[in-house]
Amino acid sequence: MFVVSKILGFLLQPSFAAALCILIGLMLVSTNLRRSLGLKLAWGGLGYLIIFGIVPLGNVLILPLEQHFAGMPRPKPTDGISGIIILGGFEDGYVSAGRGQLTVNESAERLTEGVRLARELPDTKVLFSGGVGALWHADADATQPVADYMKAIGIDAGRLLLEGLSRNTIENASFSAKLVNPQPGERWVLVTSAYHMPRAVSLFRNAGFTVQPWPVDFRTRGWQDVWRPFDRLPQGHQRIDVAVNEWLGLFLLRLAGTIGRIFPAR
């Protein structure tokens, strides 16, 4: 199912569908097979890539995901927090292994804010959960570089818990639960990207965690960004593809009965 989900996730990206329409359309035109249909497909795909690379459709799609847990109170030492869960996805294990140092991407706030919380809550455990979610380079594990970074900036090694086998959020939650065996009454702060937080919260709660969301890595300022166009076409398409992937994940989990509702309670 992991392989199937990865393949479907790639094929269902709107940007890929648009490129595929252009390719099929050009093939139909060049072979004179249904030339009219081919022109419509090619121009339609090209029009999508140009128009929706600029207009803020991606912001419209991602904002409901980001806003659901926006404005949550910052965890405090008096909140009785047992641990902090930092979800992977910010690290590039392949490059990290090749360069001998931790390499991060645009989701690096999962790490920076997670470490910041760890310093503010010095009596908590710090769980990093993040294996390799790619179909290739599956041996490029960044767990150790992440742990080395945390220790280098002052997080005591005795606080660290490392889960490096998970390939997706379902496995993040289930493998983390097996590692720490969360008990009733324990509270864990969950740190991940704001757009990803609804799905992550549902899955970690299902796995037995009482989680307090701390969303980071916001891609928008708020509802005013539904009118903000993108400066470059790839930005618009990346935003749409990320949002569509997240919505698909939520709806498929709901259809499968894995989660009870699309948006979990705050």
Side-chain angles (χ1 to χ4, degrees):
M1 287 304 298
F2 168 75
V3 175
V4 172
S5 68
K6 287 295 180 181
I7 294 174
L8 285 177
F10 176 76
L11 295 177
L12 293 177
Q13 291 181 100
S15 59
F16 175 79
L20 188 62
C21 284
I22 295 173
L23 177 61
I24 294 174
L26 292 176
M27 290 175 61
L28 291 175
V29 171
S30 63
T31 57
N32 285 320
L33 294 173
R34 307 198 65 176
R35 180 180 177 84
S36 177
L37 176 61
L39 287 171
K40 291 177 182 178
L41 286 173
W43 281 112
L46 181 61
Y48 172 86
L49 291 178
I50 294 175
I51 295 171
F52 291 104
I54 299 174
V55 302
L57 175 62
N59 289 340
V60 173
L61 293 174
I62 210 167
L63 264 162
L65 300 168
E66 290 197 332
Q67 289 296 106
H68 185 66
F69 285 110
M72 297 294 291
R74 189 173 187 85
K76 303 184 297 296
T78 56
D79 289 343
I81 304 297
S82 302
I84 300 164
I85 305 168
I86 303 174
L87 287 195
F90 59 82
E91 74 286 4
D92 190 325
Y94 186 63
V95 177
S96 296
R99 293 293 182 179
Q101 63 185 38
L102 178 62
T103 303
V104 297
N105 55 35
E106 64 178 347
S107 297
E109 287 174 37
R110 299 188 189 188
L111 175 63
T112 57
E113 281 296 301
V115 168
R116 185 178 176 185
L117 281 177
R119 295 174 70 92
E120 294 175 0
L121 306 172
D123 298 325
T124 59
K125 292 291 185 181
V126 181
L127 167 62
F128 167 68
S129 177
V132 180
L135 292 178
W136 45 85
H137 309 312
D139 58 339
D141 183 11
T143 304
Q144 195 56 51
V146 170
D148 291 342
Y149 175 83
M150 290 186 180
K151 288 183 284 187
I153 62 173
I155 306 301
D156 186 82
R159 300 174 61 191
L160 295 179
L161 298 167
L162 305 175
E163 186 285 297
L165 298 177
S166 54
R167 300 170 296 177
N168 54 34
T169 313
I170 295 176
E171 292 183 355
N172 284 140
S174 61
F175 293 173
S176 294
K178 291 178 182 178
L179 179 62
V180 305
N181 189 26
Q183 299 298 308
E186 291 184 346
R187 297 178 65 191
W188 291 75
V189 177
L190 180 61
V191 182
T192 190
S193 299
Y195 68 83
H196 182 55
M197 190 61 82
R199 183 155 56 112
V201 165
S202 291
L203 291 172
F204 270 83
R205 286 176 178 171
N206 282 357
F209 285 91
T210 299
V211 293
Q212 179 173 330
W214 185 245
V216 299
D217 183 31
F218 284 88
R219 306 299 170 91
T220 62
R221 298 171 298 169
W223 291 108
Q224 65 267 41
D225 277 1
V226 299
W227 308 108
R228 180 169 63 93
F230 293 98
D231 298 325
R232 296 189 298 274
L233 298 184
Q235 288 180 323
H237 292 300
Q238 183 186 37
R239 186 69 49 83
I240 293 172
D241 289 346
V242 167
V244 167
N245 179 75
E246 203 61 36
W247 281 109
L248 283 173
L250 284 167
F251 280 113
L252 290 176
L253 288 171
R254 178 66 185 91
L255 287 174
T258 306
I259 61 177
R261 50 195 291 188
I262 295 295
F263 285 106
R266 286 173 57 96

